[in-house]
Amino acid sequence: MNEFFLIVLLVLVTFVFLTGLCRALVMSKRSVALIEKYERDKNNPKLIHEIFEIISKDIYLGNILKKNNATEKDIFALHKKLMKFGDFRKYNRYVPITSFFNKTTLKYLLEHKDDDAKSLTEKMMNHFHI
């Protein structure tokens, strides 16, 4: 009986781990796709709409948006702030886009949306080790 319980527990932990890993890979892939798509058109309003649409559909990021009553206008304002000091790409990271696809950074951005552009960008750059 004990062995059965441990096997079930191991299967559940493995499932949760693999599900989380797959979600992280999917979100990373979507972020990189947007970075590449808008690399030469960074101020296109469609970018903000696509970011908001993707993160709204994600269960974790969508809950963060709802909890903070975030709208597309909030994402636009935050993106504008991040563009001021973080408009450069390092590998597959581009602060004005990548920051919205991570639970920790999205939560921080929405909770500190009234902070100045420099402090928000520095916080995001530190998070992504840029």
Side-chain angles (χ1 to χ4, degrees):
M1 189 67 169
N2 248 354
E3 288 178 12
F4 177 74
F5 174 75
L6 290 175
I7 291 172
V8 169
L9 183 63
L10 179 63
V11 168
L12 286 173
V13 168
T14 303
F15 176 76
V16 169
F17 174 77
L18 291 176
T19 303
L21 185 62
C22 286
R23 183 198 160 277
L25 290 173
V26 166
M27 294 310 286
S28 177
K29 184 178 176 182
R30 289 179 178 173
S31 173
V32 171
L34 285 179
I35 292 168
E36 290 174 356
K37 181 176 180 181
Y38 291 100
E39 191 168 21
R40 299 195 193 320
D41 193 14
K42 298 172 184 173
N43 294 313
N44 190 331
K46 290 180 182 178
L47 170 61
I48 305 302
H49 178 72
E50 286 188 50
I51 290 172
F52 189 78
E53 188 175 313
I54 292 169
I55 63 178
S56 295
K57 290 178 182 176
D58 182 73
I59 189 164
Y60 299 111
L61 301 176
N63 285 337
I64 293 170
L65 289 175
K66 288 176 190 170
K67 181 180 176 188
N68 291 282
N69 298 316
T71 64
E72 232 175 282
K73 287 183 180 183
D74 294 323
I75 302 301
F76 174 77
L78 287 165
H79 180 265
K80 187 175 178 180
K81 285 183 179 185
L82 294 173
M83 285 288 291
K84 190 170 184 179
F85 294 102
D87 185 16
F88 59 89
R89 183 176 178 174
K90 183 177 180 186
Y91 308 115
N92 285 333
R93 293 183 179 129
Y94 179 63
V95 170
I97 294 177
T98 309
S99 300
F100 297 106
F101 289 86
N102 181 288
K103 293 186 290 188
T104 308
T105 55
L106 180 63
K107 183 179 178 194
Y108 183 86
L109 286 172
L110 293 174
E111 289 175 353
H112 296 90
K113 62 185 170 188
D114 296 325
D115 289 5
D116 65 292
K118 187 174 182 183
S119 67
L120 284 176
T121 306
E122 284 177 351
K123 184 75 172 179
M124 298 302 107
M125 289 171 68
N126 287 338
H127 179 83
F128 294 116
H129 305 289
I130 296 176

